[in-house]
Amino acid sequence: MLKYQQIAAEIEQYINDQDLKQGDKLPVLEQLMSQYGVSKSTVTKALELLERRGVIFQLRGSGIFVRRHNRPGYMSLFSTQGFKNNLGDRVLTSDVLDVSITKPSEDVARNLGIDVADDVYRVERIRYVDGEVFCYEESYYVKAIVPYLNREIVADSIFDYVQSALGVTIGFSDMYMQVGRLNETEAGYLGLKMDDPTLRIETIFHLTNGKPFDYSRITYHYEHSQFVVQANGPYM
Amino acid sequence: MLKYQQIAAEIEQYINDQDLKQGDKLPVLEQLMSQYGVSKSTVTKALELLERRGVIFQLRGSGIFVRRHNRPGYMSLFSTQGFKNNLGDRVLTSDVLDVSITKPSEDVARNLGIDVADDVYRVERIRYVDGEVFCYEESYYVKAIVPYLNREIVADSIFDYVQSALGVTIGFSDMYMQVGRLNETEAGYLGLKMDDPTLRIETIFHLTNGKPFDYSRITYHYEHSQFVVQANGPYM
DNA sequence: TACTATAATTGTACCGGTACAATTAATCAA
DNA sequence: TTGATTAATTGTACCGGTACAATTATAGTA
């Protein structure tokens, strides 16, 4: 783990341990430097990271302050998208409906930047948060990058497996969201009625080298999906 | 304008001018340094900015590559949230329903971190993109921070006014989103039917000093609202 | 040809420094 | 006490540097 990541983690831990609230002040930069025994730029980098994650904000001439105070019941939109599956103390489980190797449709192939002749894993599951239906997910993995999957892996976190077992690292993702109505199949999966409202999110996950490796379509249960997004400034 | 912002803008311009596509390579760091006549860390900072905005991605040992290739018809979730109102070539207009000074409700006061006795501006409008109903918005501004508003200002961009005329700068925002059904009033405004699906986003905008100054509730027309969110890595 | 080891390329981590702008605290005048 | 001026605090911009890790190109070997 890199120094600045380590320091960021420790500062976040410190905030939790001291139970600091919105607006509370952290030690000044210079103290953090000597405290962790690193240079200014390393501390700055750790703080930038925490700032982007919505944990703190910095005000020059004044200090470093705690920002986070998320509403209970709202999940970070990013935490539900493969990134860090810490949904706090919530339990995430899955019903795996399908894990199979197929050929992608035109649409899927385009989103993954591959040919329709290339193999993909198709994964279909229903996901639960604390036992309640959360979403229905259909996703496709490029087999050339993810050569093997099974029901066990898929029931757990696919991303953890991909990163640890395959040694590839996820770089960035593009999410496309829209609101609509459930069709009959989806309604059945989610325990809702046809034409009920829903949030649909398509996400294309890329490796650090820019290659797409996962395209997923998620249909959310509208009553159990509340998301928070923390944005940073006009120049984010 | 700061050097690294300027350079970021120029690089983005270069990508557009050269019509570079997803995966195309940019000049290497060292060349950018000499080209713009700045140090490495300044170029790096410009590139970080572009990376966060989803314009490029960097791959060490390899180079700097173009990332953006957003789907047509999808607006950046952040661009619709006060931040940089460049919706491409789309025209944004508003029907102002109300601009008045009132006392906040308990709920509004809590979200703005003020007392129910403090004054707020209440702004109510319907917004259109290219003439089509886009959303219904109800927002509250802390009068102590935004001492004056009128229909003209509100019909245009409130954020531009606040930043230029009042000299305050927006720091960060928290967005809370959920899906639901329209009530009768909302349906009327949006030209839809009661119980139609909708996306609701509450946003609390803070100044750079962390003080909330605007709390807004937006109800989106589900057929005209498609959003894209670009996320960066597991450690964004 | 195909595979492996080596070298060149290229971005990232980290250091340490100077100058400066925004905020806050201290000082002074009315 | 109030208000303005000055000084101290504190984060940010920017410089320039070394070391290093990941990628890609090259050379070497079977």
Side-chain angles (χ1 to χ4, degrees), chain A residues 5 16-17 39 52-54 57 75 148 154 157 162 170 175 182 201 220 223 226:
Chain A
Q5 290 178 342
N16 291 332
D17 288 349
S39 81
R52 266 187 291 162
R53 290 206 255 161
F57 65 93
M75 280 176 274
Y148 182 71
V154 163
S157 168
V162 170
I170 290 121
M175 302 168 42
L182 291 176
I201 303 188
Y220 287 95
E223 285 174 333
Q226 302 186 114

Short mmCIF file of all heavy atoms in Angstrom, two decimals, chain A residues 5 16-17 39 52-54 57 75 148 154 157 162 170 175 182 201 220 223 226:
data_model
loop_
_atom_site.label_atom_id
_atom_site.label_comp_id
_atom_site.label_asym_id
_atom_site.label_seq_id
_atom_site.Cartn_x
_atom_site.Cartn_y
_atom_site.Cartn_z
N GLN A 5 -1.94 6.56 0.51
CA GLN A 5 -3.17 5.81 0.74
C GLN A 5 -3.25 5.40 2.21
O GLN A 5 -4.31 5.49 2.84
CB GLN A 5 -3.19 4.57 -0.14
CG GLN A 5 -3.38 4.86 -1.61
CD GLN A 5 -3.35 3.61 -2.46
OE1 GLN A 5 -2.88 2.57 -2.02
NE2 GLN A 5 -3.86 3.72 -3.67
N ASN A 16 -13.16 8.70 12.53
CA ASN A 16 -14.15 7.78 13.11
C ASN A 16 -13.91 7.56 14.60
O ASN A 16 -14.84 7.60 15.40
CB ASN A 16 -14.12 6.44 12.37
CG ASN A 16 -14.64 6.58 10.95
OD1 ASN A 16 -15.46 7.45 10.66
ND2 ASN A 16 -14.13 5.75 10.05
N ASP A 17 -12.65 7.31 14.96
CA ASP A 17 -12.32 7.06 16.36
C ASP A 17 -12.69 8.24 17.25
O ASP A 17 -13.26 8.06 18.32
CB ASP A 17 -10.81 6.78 16.51
CG ASP A 17 -10.43 5.42 15.93
OD1 ASP A 17 -11.35 4.64 15.62
OD2 ASP A 17 -9.23 5.15 15.79
N SER A 39 6.67 13.96 3.76
CA SER A 39 6.77 15.31 3.24
C SER A 39 5.39 15.92 3.04
O SER A 39 4.36 15.24 3.08
CB SER A 39 7.51 15.31 1.91
OG SER A 39 6.62 14.94 0.88
N ARG A 52 -11.73 14.08 -2.44
CA ARG A 52 -12.49 13.54 -3.56
C ARG A 52 -13.54 12.54 -3.10
O ARG A 52 -14.60 12.41 -3.68
CB ARG A 52 -11.55 12.85 -4.55
CG ARG A 52 -11.11 13.76 -5.65
CD ARG A 52 -10.34 12.99 -6.67
NE ARG A 52 -9.05 12.56 -6.13
CZ ARG A 52 -8.30 11.60 -6.65
NH1 ARG A 52 -8.73 10.94 -7.71
NH2 ARG A 52 -7.14 11.30 -6.13
N ARG A 53 -13.22 11.83 -2.02
CA ARG A 53 -14.19 10.86 -1.53
C ARG A 53 -15.24 11.49 -0.63
O ARG A 53 -16.07 10.80 -0.06
CB ARG A 53 -13.46 9.76 -0.77
CG ARG A 53 -12.66 8.90 -1.72
CD ARG A 53 -12.47 7.54 -1.15
NE ARG A 53 -11.12 7.33 -0.66
CZ ARG A 53 -10.77 6.39 0.20
NH1 ARG A 53 -11.69 5.59 0.69
NH2 ARG A 53 -9.53 6.25 0.59
N GLY A 54 -15.16 12.79 -0.46
CA GLY A 54 -16.21 13.47 0.30
C GLY A 54 -16.04 13.38 1.81
O GLY A 54 -16.96 13.67 2.56
N PHE A 57 -13.04 18.57 3.66
CA PHE A 57 -12.78 19.65 2.72
C PHE A 57 -11.71 20.55 3.32
O PHE A 57 -11.57 20.64 4.53
CB PHE A 57 -14.06 20.42 2.36
CG PHE A 57 -14.67 21.18 3.49
CD1 PHE A 57 -14.34 22.52 3.70
CD2 PHE A 57 -15.59 20.59 4.34
CE1 PHE A 57 -14.92 23.24 4.76
CE2 PHE A 57 -16.16 21.30 5.39
CZ PHE A 57 -15.83 22.62 5.59
N MET A 75 -27.18 4.90 0.13
CA MET A 75 -25.92 4.27 -0.21
C MET A 75 -25.19 5.11 -1.22
O MET A 75 -25.81 5.72 -2.08
CB MET A 75 -26.20 2.90 -0.83
CG MET A 75 -26.48 1.85 0.19
SD MET A 75 -26.90 0.31 -0.62
CE MET A 75 -28.65 0.56 -0.86
N TYR A 148 -12.35 -17.47 -16.35
CA TYR A 148 -13.15 -18.45 -15.62
C TYR A 148 -14.03 -17.82 -14.53
O TYR A 148 -13.58 -16.98 -13.76
CB TYR A 148 -12.26 -19.52 -14.99
CG TYR A 148 -13.04 -20.58 -14.27
CD1 TYR A 148 -13.80 -21.51 -14.97
CD2 TYR A 148 -13.05 -20.62 -12.86
CE1 TYR A 148 -14.55 -22.48 -14.31
CE2 TYR A 148 -13.79 -21.58 -12.19
CZ TYR A 148 -14.53 -22.51 -12.92
OH TYR A 148 -15.28 -23.44 -12.26
N VAL A 154 -19.42 -15.97 -8.33
CA VAL A 154 -20.44 -14.99 -8.68
C VAL A 154 -21.36 -14.67 -7.51
O VAL A 154 -21.85 -13.55 -7.39
CB VAL A 154 -21.23 -15.52 -9.91
CG1 VAL A 154 -22.53 -14.78 -10.07
CG2 VAL A 154 -20.37 -15.41 -11.15
N SER A 157 -18.23 -11.65 -4.35
CA SER A 157 -17.90 -10.47 -5.13
C SER A 157 -17.04 -10.83 -6.34
O SER A 157 -15.90 -11.29 -6.19
CB SER A 157 -17.16 -9.46 -4.27
OG SER A 157 -16.61 -8.45 -5.09
N VAL A 162 -11.75 -11.02 -9.46
CA VAL A 162 -11.04 -10.54 -10.64
C VAL A 162 -9.73 -9.86 -10.24
O VAL A 162 -8.69 -10.07 -10.86
CB VAL A 162 -11.92 -9.58 -11.46
CG1 VAL A 162 -11.09 -8.89 -12.54
CG2 VAL A 162 -13.07 -10.33 -12.10
N ILE A 170 -9.12 -2.69 -11.75
CA ILE A 170 -10.18 -1.91 -12.39
C ILE A 170 -9.78 -0.45 -12.39
O ILE A 170 -9.35 0.10 -11.37
CB ILE A 170 -11.50 -2.12 -11.65
CG1 ILE A 170 -12.00 -3.54 -11.90
CG2 ILE A 170 -12.56 -1.14 -12.15
CD1 ILE A 170 -12.17 -4.34 -10.66
N MET A 175 -21.18 5.16 -16.18
CA MET A 175 -22.52 4.73 -15.79
C MET A 175 -23.57 5.54 -16.55
O MET A 175 -23.51 6.76 -16.55
CB MET A 175 -22.73 4.94 -14.30
CG MET A 175 -21.72 4.21 -13.43
SD MET A 175 -21.80 4.77 -11.70
CE MET A 175 -23.56 4.86 -11.50
N LEU A 182 -41.03 -1.08 -15.16
CA LEU A 182 -40.67 -2.50 -15.16
C LEU A 182 -41.47 -3.27 -16.20
O LEU A 182 -42.66 -2.99 -16.41
CB LEU A 182 -40.94 -3.11 -13.80
CG LEU A 182 -40.06 -2.66 -12.64
CD1 LEU A 182 -40.55 -3.30 -11.35
CD2 LEU A 182 -38.61 -3.02 -12.90
N ILE A 201 -29.51 1.24 -14.52
CA ILE A 201 -28.15 1.74 -14.70
C ILE A 201 -27.33 0.75 -15.50
O ILE A 201 -27.22 -0.41 -15.12
CB ILE A 201 -27.45 2.03 -13.35
CG1 ILE A 201 -28.28 3.02 -12.52
CG2 ILE A 201 -26.05 2.57 -13.58
CD1 ILE A 201 -27.59 3.49 -11.26
N TYR A 220 -33.08 -1.52 -10.62
CA TYR A 220 -33.23 -1.37 -9.17
C TYR A 220 -34.68 -1.41 -8.70
O TYR A 220 -35.58 -0.91 -9.39
CB TYR A 220 -32.60 -0.06 -8.70
CG TYR A 220 -31.10 -0.08 -8.73
CD1 TYR A 220 -30.41 0.42 -9.83
CD2 TYR A 220 -30.37 -0.62 -7.68
CE1 TYR A 220 -29.02 0.39 -9.86
CE2 TYR A 220 -28.99 -0.64 -7.70
CZ TYR A 220 -28.32 -0.15 -8.80
OH TYR A 220 -26.95 -0.18 -8.84
N GLU A 223 -38.13 1.09 -4.35
CA GLU A 223 -38.39 1.42 -2.94
C GLU A 223 -37.16 1.21 -2.06
O GLU A 223 -37.07 1.77 -0.98
CB GLU A 223 -39.55 0.56 -2.41
CG GLU A 223 -40.90 1.02 -2.92
CD GLU A 223 -42.02 0.07 -2.52
OE1 GLU A 223 -41.73 -1.13 -2.32
OE2 GLU A 223 -43.17 0.53 -2.40
N GLN A 226 -31.89 4.10 -2.63
CA GLN A 226 -31.69 5.53 -2.42
C GLN A 226 -30.19 5.77 -2.44
O GLN A 226 -29.45 5.11 -1.72
CB GLN A 226 -32.25 5.95 -1.07
CG GLN A 226 -33.72 5.66 -0.92
CD GLN A 226 -34.27 6.23 0.38
OE1 GLN A 226 -35.08 7.12 0.37
NE2 GLN A 226 -33.78 5.72 1.49
#
